[in-house]
Amino acid sequence: LLHHDFNKSTAATKTSSSTASTKAHGPLENVCCVGSECGSFLRQRIKPGSIQTIFVNHPEPPTQTYDNASIALSANTADEEPAHMLNSQTLLAAAKCLRQDGKGRLIIVTDNLIYARLVSRTMVRIMEDGRLKGISTREVGDLRKLETFGSGVHLFEGKPSISIGHYTPNGNFSGGTSYFDRLWRTGAGKHADMKKRFIIAVCTRNSADDNIPDTTNDSITRKEKFRRNNEH
């Protein structure tokens, strides 16, 4: 879901809710629904540095029972990644589409903790090119930090809320209002959590971040390391 500063309107809708939305807010004139493979759409159709926020609500895991050993493997070797939407190449394409200087965000919400850990570990690897950083825990005080991966990818537990840019009608509803949020409330899958949701939130780095020295390898920059690690 792509959000282009449309006065906090949601950037996608479903036919089942369009009538209610029209009655409540008038015709929607800033919504574009596209059917496409995610990665190629981001790479070929979206201008780099043009998106404020990309929301990914309840993405489908490669399998419902993908285990932790496989997570560790796929997070370190791109060739071994399972087939799923949020692989390293798609996450990198999303990062390139985001606005620079701390103005772009990528927000991922899932009810599958194992999958959340897979995406978090993959995020650590693609962040080596220096485009993204984890959102500070201070910015999302209503969420509970569960784990931290690498040097700053935080995995949170909580309800989608205005702190991560999710639309909240009248400012007094919490829990998410997307089609997938409503579907989740009707009954999660067998391996999904019935009560908890897990959130990964990252943003683009700003100029102040660029002044922080990278001490991981004095002879190789972050971008050069990333290029070498992803050569096929």
Side-chain angles (χ1 to χ4, degrees), residues 100-104 127 130-136 138-139 203-214 222:
Q100 300 304 301
D101 294 325
K103 298 177 182 178
M127 283 172 60
R131 295 177 186 273
L132 300 176
K133 66 175 183 177
I135 287 180
S136 168
R138 295 189 299 273
E139 298 182 55
C203 64
T204 52
R205 301 176 69 86
N206 56 41
S207 55
D209 298 319
D210 293 335
N211 295 326
I212 300 174
D214 178 17
R222 274 196 305 265

Side-chain angles (χ1 to χ4, degrees), residues 105-162:
R105 282 185 167 193
L106 171 58
I107 308 295
I108 301 167
V109 179
T110 177
D111 55 14
N112 188 309
L113 180 57
I114 294 175
Y115 187 50
R117 287 171 172 155
L118 167 62
V119 175
S120 296
R121 294 180 188 277
T122 306
M123 190 73 73
V124 169
R125 182 155 56 82
I126 72 114
M127 283 172 60
E128 289 180 356
D129 81 334
R131 295 177 186 273
L132 300 176
K133 66 175 183 177
I135 287 180
S136 168
T137 55
R138 295 189 299 273
E139 298 182 55
V140 288
D142 56 331
L143 304 179
R144 182 172 73 90
K145 186 180 74 173
L146 290 181
E147 302 176 50
T148 298
F149 297 81
S151 59
V153 177
H154 303 304
L155 176 58
F156 298 98
E157 177 198 326
K159 297 178 179 179
S161 65
I162 197 169

Side-chain angles (χ1 to χ4, degrees), residues 7-143:
N7 298 320
K8 296 186 179 180
S9 296
T10 53
T13 186
K14 289 285 180 178
T15 303
S16 60
S17 62
S18 60
T19 301
S21 297
T22 300
K23 289 181 179 179
H25 306 291
L28 298 176
E29 299 178 351
N30 57 2
V31 174
C32 177
C33 296
V34 178
S36 173
E37 191 280 319
C38 180
S40 60
F41 177 75
L42 292 171
R43 288 187 290 270
Q44 300 170 15
R45 301 293 182 180
I46 302 298
K47 182 180 178 181
S50 64
I51 303 297
Q52 178 184 340
T53 310
I54 297 178
F55 296 102
V56 186
N57 294 321
H58 296 267
E60 185 70 18
T63 68
Q64 289 290 328
T65 57
Y66 203 67
D67 57 52
N68 286 302
S70 298
I71 287 174
L73 174 63
S74 63
N76 290 309
T77 55
D79 292 339
E80 299 292 338
E81 285 189 273
H84 67 115
M85 184 177 73
L86 297 180
N87 57 50
S88 59
Q89 294 305 309
T90 299
L91 291 176
L92 181 59
K96 291 179 178 179
C97 293
L98 295 176
R99 291 183 180 179
Q100 300 304 301
D101 294 325
K103 298 177 182 178
R105 282 185 167 193
L106 171 58
I107 308 295
I108 301 167
V109 179
T110 177
D111 55 14
N112 188 309
L113 180 57
I114 294 175
Y115 187 50
R117 287 171 172 155
L118 167 62
V119 175
S120 296
R121 294 180 188 277
T122 306
M123 190 73 73
V124 169
R125 182 155 56 82
I126 72 114
M127 283 172 60
E128 289 180 356
D129 81 334
R131 295 177 186 273
L132 300 176
K133 66 175 183 177
I135 287 180
S136 168
T137 55
R138 295 189 299 273
E139 298 182 55
V140 288
D142 56 331
L143 304 179

